[in-house]
Amino acid sequence: MQEDENCETLPSEIHVTKEEYDDMGSLVRSCSGEVMVNKCEGICNSQVQPSVITPTGFLKECFCCKENYLRERLVTLSHCYDPDGLRLEDEERAIMEIRLREPAECKCYKCGDYSR
């Protein structure tokens, strides 16, 4: 791989909304918050060259910036509302913890290579 690749693991802020329903399918509460997560971003080198041995007549080597592996973590959503849109104040229902997965490390991988 060449030196001008810059596939990086970068911090990013996203808005997350999660709704909780009871056994009957009725909305119990809706929680949201801004969460810092990692994202993969950058440039990976790719090339296409003529080839006499491939069926298409071209040899393509494409690389994508994507996760090396994912990690799971707990995040807290601190803005919770009841079905009428009123903010919940009682300690037990005022926050919601959810699990999400994020890239722990990013690298350039051959496109379509999902064997890992």
Side-chain angles (χ1 to χ4, degrees):
M1 302 222 191
Q2 296 155 10
E3 292 303 311
D4 56 347
E5 293 182 342
N6 68 347
C7 177
E8 296 178 289
T9 311
L10 298 173
S12 171
E13 188 176 64
I14 60 169
H15 183 79
V16 177
T17 300
K18 177 85 172 160
E19 294 175 334
E20 183 182 352
Y21 295 90
D22 64 17
D23 294 339
M24 304 297 289
S26 299
L27 181 65
V28 174
R29 64 179 174 154
S30 176
C31 299
S32 64
E34 303 300 319
V35 179
M36 289 301 293
V37 294
N38 286 337
K39 68 176 178 178
C40 295
E41 188 172 297
I43 297 169
C44 299
N45 293 312
S46 296
Q47 65 177 10
V48 176
Q49 63 187 35
S51 169
V52 293
I53 55 171
T54 58
T56 60
F58 290 96
L59 176 64
K60 295 181 181 183
E61 282 194 313
C62 303
F63 291 86
C64 312
C65 180
K66 61 184 183 179
E67 71 280 357
N68 189 19
Y69 60 95
L70 296 168
R71 75 167 162 228
E72 191 174 89
R73 55 183 264 248
L74 276 175
V75 296
T76 302
L77 304 180
S78 55
H79 304 288
C80 292
Y81 301 88
D82 70 10
D84 297 321
L86 298 173
R87 185 144 185 186
L88 297 168
E89 299 295 340
D90 62 288
E91 267 183 51
E92 199 165 303
R93 299 180 66 223
I95 62 168
M96 180 190 288
E97 281 200 330
I98 62 167
R99 291 183 184 278
L100 58 75
R101 298 191 324 154
E102 68 178 348
E105 185 180 271
C106 304
K107 287 170 61 177
C108 289
Y109 281 97
K110 193 160 185 151
C111 297
D113 180 10
Y114 299 110
S115 58
R116 8 174 217 102

